[in-house]
Amino acid sequence: EVQLLESGGGLVQPGGSLRLSCAASGFTFSSYAMTWVRQAPGKGLEWVSTLNNDGGSTYYADSVKGRFTISRDNSKNTLYLQMNSLRADDTALYYCAKAGGGWSYSDYWGQGTLVTVSS
Amino acid sequence: QSALTQPASVSGSPGQSITISCTGTSSDVGGYNYVSWYQQHPGKAPKLMIYEVSNRPSGVSHRFSGSKSGNTASLTISGLQAEDEADYYCSSYTRRKTLVFGGGTKLTVL
């Protein structure tokens, strides 16, 4: 059974940093791209970033480019999202998702970790 | 990257069929067969319903189908059931090697 467990969310001040983690199990982690998607309270889904299976290719939304860094440790079956220079509009539930055959869709999602940026 | 355009809400009675549209541009929906659809119940994580325009993942009901014409993709749900009441989001790969979601559509089963 595929399981994705996000952690690392919390309350942070504007301008601060946070690192999210996503522990994966139930599939061959190193064979699949992984994606972060966020959802602000009461709002829709927003794609944040995708990383290919070996970590060699990264893709970012314009809204986070230069501030967020996606990475993975295939030996630990874990995906990360380093978030710097956080702003109030980064406040959201952050989902980790496993990509399907390509990376244009996500076939399994975690339950999310909440990031709140506020002073 | 602008969000794909979806109707804010649609509704239908049990047993009826409804269609949710998702309009983009030739740089996303119209340019690639990489449109997917997600269902999200309140307080839950999204669930993949359709991928690559019209493919259904294992375990998803045959009542859900997807299609595309030009820059507009569509999700059709036939034989509406109460459990289908949820938010639905479309997503597309883009020419800029990013993904973009639609604004979401709230489906109400009357």
Side-chain angles (χ1 to χ4, degrees):
Chain A
E1 177 192 7
V2 173
Q3 291 193 341
L4 299 168
L5 184 61
E6 302 95 336
S7 61
L11 175 63
V12 61
Q13 292 187 336
S17 298
L18 214 53
R19 188 174 86 153
L20 307 184
S21 299
C22 172
S25 62
F27 65 102
T28 304
F29 182 72
S30 60
S31 295
Y32 293 91
M34 297 293 293
T35 289
W36 289 99
V37 173
R38 68 185 182 184
Q39 187 169 33
K43 303 297 185 181
L45 301 175
E46 180 187 13
W47 173 76
V48 173
S49 181
T50 295
L51 178 63
N52 77 332
N53 67 307
D54 64 10
S57 296
T58 57
Y59 309 91
Y60 296 97
D62 288 344
S63 58
V64 307
K65 195 175 297 182
R67 300 186 301 122
F68 290 12
T69 302
I70 190 172
S71 62
R72 64 193 296 161
D73 185 336
N74 285 346
S75 68
K76 295 182 178 179
N77 289 353
T78 302
L79 176 73
Y80 303 100
L81 186 67
Q82 177 67 43
M83 305 185 295
N84 299 330
S85 303
L86 283 162
R87 310 183 305 220
D89 62 359
D90 294 317
T91 294
L93 186 63
Y94 284 73
Y95 292 104
C96 160
K98 169 187 170 292
W103 64 267
S104 69
Y105 64 94
S106 295
D107 54 4
Y108 290 94
W109 296 61
Q111 289 304 306
T113 185
L114 181 62
V115 173
T116 303
V117 184
S118 175
S119 55
Chain B
Q1 177 73 48
S2 299
L4 306 176
T5 300
Q6 298 180 232
S9 62
V10 298
S11 62
S13 299
Q16 288 185 332
S17 294
I18 64 95
T19 297
I20 299 172
S21 62
C22 170
T23 301
T25 69
S26 58
S27 296
D28 38 64
V29 174
Y32 306 91
N33 288 324
Y34 291 141
V35 176
S36 51
W37 290 89
Y38 300 89
Q39 175 192 66
Q40 187 179 35
H41 286 109
K44 300 296 186 182
K47 175 186 177 183
L48 178 67
M49 304 304 285
I50 296 288
Y51 66 97
E52 293 172 354
V53 177
S54 60
N55 294 298
R56 230 180 356 261
S58 172
V60 172
S61 170
H62 284 71
R63 298 185 297 104
F64 290 82
S65 62
S67 62
K68 191 185 83 167
S69 178
N71 296 335
T72 298
S74 298
L75 173 71
T76 297
I77 309 173
S78 58
L80 266 181
Q81 299 179 1
E83 67 209 49
D84 299 332
E85 185 163 294
D87 293 328
Y88 291 84
Y89 295 90
C90 62
S91 174
S92 175
Y93 179 76
T94 82
R95 184 174 60 186
R96 297 175 65 228
K97 295 184 180 180
T98 63
L99 294 178
V100 61
F101 281 95
T105 298
K106 181 177 179 59
L107 169 62
T108 300
V109 180
L110 302 172

